Structures are given as structure tokens and as C-alpha cells.
Amino acid sequence: MKSRRAFLKSATGLGIGFCSCGLLDAARAQAPQTSWHLPVTVDGKRVRTVDTHSHCYFQDAIDLMGADAKSVLPPVKGVPEHFIAADNKEAVQKRLAAMDAMGIDMEVLSINPFWYRKDHDTAAAIVKIHNARFAELCAAYPKRFAAFASLSLQYPDLAVQELETAIRTQGLRGAAIGGSVNGEEFADPKFHPVWAKAEELGAVLFIHPQSTPELAKRLKGNGWLSNVTGNPLDTTLALQHLIFEGVLDKFPRLKILAAHGGGYLGSYAPRMDHSCFVSPQNCNPDIVLKKKPTEYLNQLYFDNLVFTPEALRHLVAQVGASQVVLGTDHPIPWEEHPVDQVFATRTLTDAQRIAILGGNAQHLLGLDL
């Protein structure tokens, strides 16, 4: 494939040898580490790549958590690399070098909510720091960073104000939210003013899960199941409630981006289309959806953090290539070769590759690269 050959040709300058897609990680492990920017090309044309799922932290915001601060940072590799700020040039340059090595032109930064259980004033102070720091970082490096705002979503009235300021004043692209708020689903009418404001502003809501705490006992044990199972499940439930409770009918222009490929929804979505036929007793007759449940997936967006070309092929088959964007979870090393995954998915056309690598994200987020 011409586009794949062009990409591999550019990669050889990094000393990377590719024998087959199956040996990709082994080849990368043996390659010399560099900080060269890897221009991604498709059919000889430069493509700008956008990672919509990347993270950072700001220590002064964590400090406001008091005794709970010790539980904020996740038990993972890459934690020190989370701390970037506009005035920390060394940390920023290290992040940019890592992006260069991954072939990523721009990261859209976000912070997973850790303040949902805090009081009004503490939550507001944490969010104020986050969004101000994001604005500073994006202004200092406008071609390399964009960001999703933080919101005090447990106080919807406050969240509406924060979202308006973030979009209209600070230049942020939307907001990162959890999969629920202290056990309350997003379908709860109390959150409708936030969704209405997001729809009005054209702001993207990036759903990033926080495990499934109701299953904490079963998710204990070896393998970090609270993340590898709990996180995808949390996103799946969040999206299903938005669909089945009619929220997406009420707010049809709402822009939602789901992390980790949307959890399990993309793998088993058609089962939803049969539920109310098989068991009408478990469906609310007052909620009449305007479309089949699976059809709502075509108006949602999903990152490609699904790890294999086959998984990406299936996700695209379910939701459409126009709904998929790059996502890595960087600097946590879940997916260190996101661009390679797109090229290795042989069912994609060049146009679809261009869209997934950056075109969809640029359109969705209003980015000018």
C-alpha cells in the first residue's frame, strides 16, 4: 500500500526496521530512541495528527485536595511526565519530544475528575486552576496543545458558568467529564443545563471513565481489573443511559467523544436494538426513541485506543470512520504507536486514515493546524 510504504520510508530515518505488523513492538524496542519529529504522510502528502486523549496534572490543584491528595495520582508508569505547565519549559520540551517520537503533532489535554466529591468552593478553586493553566499552555504552544476544560459537574449551575468561561474566554475546546457523578447518571435532568450549554457553545464533552465503583469488590485481585474492565464498562453504561433515556434526542447537536473506543459499546452494540422488543417490561413506555439505539453511535465520537488493527477495523465498521479519532492516554504508556495502528488497519482507505489521524479531530474541535 502506497501510504503505508511512504510512512515506513519516513520511519527508516529513525533506525526502525519493520518485518511485519506482528513484529512492530519488537522492532520498536530495538530501535534507537530519538526525539525527531516523524512527519506522517499519506500518499506523499503531509498529514497533521491529533491525539485527543492525553493527560496532565498541576500540583497546586492537587494540593487543594487536602488529605485526599494522596489518592489523586494513579498507580501507573508515566506519572512524573504528567506535570507540565507553560512556565516549566523543561517538562514541556520533554513532552513535545515524546509527541515527536510518536508522530503526534497536537495533544488535546485533559484531567480525569478527582474533585467530584469536594465542596463547592474547593471544587471551584481546583477547576479554576486547571482551566487557567490549560489556557496558558495552549496560548504558549498553539500548534502543539489544545485542552478540554475541567468542570465542577457535581454543581451543575457552577459547571455551566465554568464551561462558558472556558469556551468563550479561555479558548478551550470542550470539557472532560467522568462516566457519572457520585453515582448519578448523566441522564438525570439536573445535568441537562450543562448539556444544553455545551450544545449551545458547540463544546465537545470528552467522557473519560472512573472505573465502576459499584463493582469494586468483584474488580479486586490480580490484573488491575478496576481499570481494564471497570473503565470500559463505566463508559459503556454512561453512553447507554444517554441513548436509552432520550438525552441524545433532547440534545441532538451534543458533541460527545468517548475514551477507550467507547468501552464495550462498539463491540456489542446491536444487542441494544433488541432489548425493548424482548422485554418491554424493562423499558419506559414514555420514552420513545427517534432512532434505533445503534444508530446513535453514528453521532458520537470514539478514540482509537483499542490496541489492535482488528479492533480498530471493527470499531470503524460499527460507528463509521468519520466518528473515530486518535487517542493514546499519553503519558501513560497504554498505546505508544497510535499512528502505526491506523496504517496497519488494512481495511481503511487513505481518506479514512487521514480522517482518523487528524482530520476528524480538527473538524470536531475546530482546530487550525
Side-chain angles (χ1 to χ4, degrees), residues 10 128 139 155 166 176 187 268 288 302 307 311 322 341:
S10 67
K128 184 176 180 179
Y155 304 104
Y268 205 29
V288 180
F302 307 83
F307 300 104
S322 63
Q341 181 207 57

Side-chain angles (χ1 to χ4, degrees), residues 285-333:
D286 296 327
I287 300 176
V288 180
L289 300 182
K290 295 181 179 181
K291 299 185 288 189
K292 292 194 304 182
T294 50
E295 292 178 358
Y296 291 94
L297 272 64
N298 304 120
Q299 71 187 64
L300 304 174
Y301 293 84
F302 307 83
D303 74 19
N304 75 322
L305 190 48
V306 293
F307 300 104
T308 67
E310 171 56 24
L312 179 56
R313 181 209 64 77
H314 183 77
L315 179 63
V316 168
Q318 181 66 69
V319 307
S322 63
Q323 307 308 115
V324 180
V325 296
L326 285 186
T328 66
D329 227 326
H330 190 248
I332 302 173

Side-chain angles (χ1 to χ4, degrees), residues 30-52:
Q30 297 174 11
Q33 298 300 307
T34 77
S35 59
W36 295 357
H37 182 66
L38 180 60
V40 177
T41 61
V42 175
D43 199 16
K45 298 178 181 179
R46 177 75 163 92
V47 175
R48 303 291 176 177
T49 56
V50 181
D51 176 5
T52 63

Side-chain angles (χ1 to χ4, degrees), residues 66-79:
D68 295 324
K70 61 181 181 296
S71 64
V72 170
L73 300 179
V76 295
K77 297 176 181 177
V79 166

Side-chain angles (χ1 to χ4, degrees), residues 180-214:
S180 62
V181 184
N182 300 331
E184 296 179 299
E185 297 296 339
F186 292 150
D188 192 311
K190 70 184 290 184
F191 299 116
H192 285 187
V194 183
W195 315 149
K197 178 57 67 173
E199 191 178 52
E200 174 194 328
L201 296 169
V204 176
L205 297 175
F206 174 49
I207 296 180
H208 193 291
Q210 305 289 292
S211 190
T212 309
E214 297 83 357

Side-chain angles (χ1 to χ4, degrees), residues 55-73:
H55 298 299
C56 68
Y57 287 113
F58 304 110
Q59 187 61 53
D60 46 352
I62 295 176
D63 292 341
L64 295 179
M65 290 290 289
D68 295 324
K70 61 181 181 296
S71 64
V72 170
L73 300 179

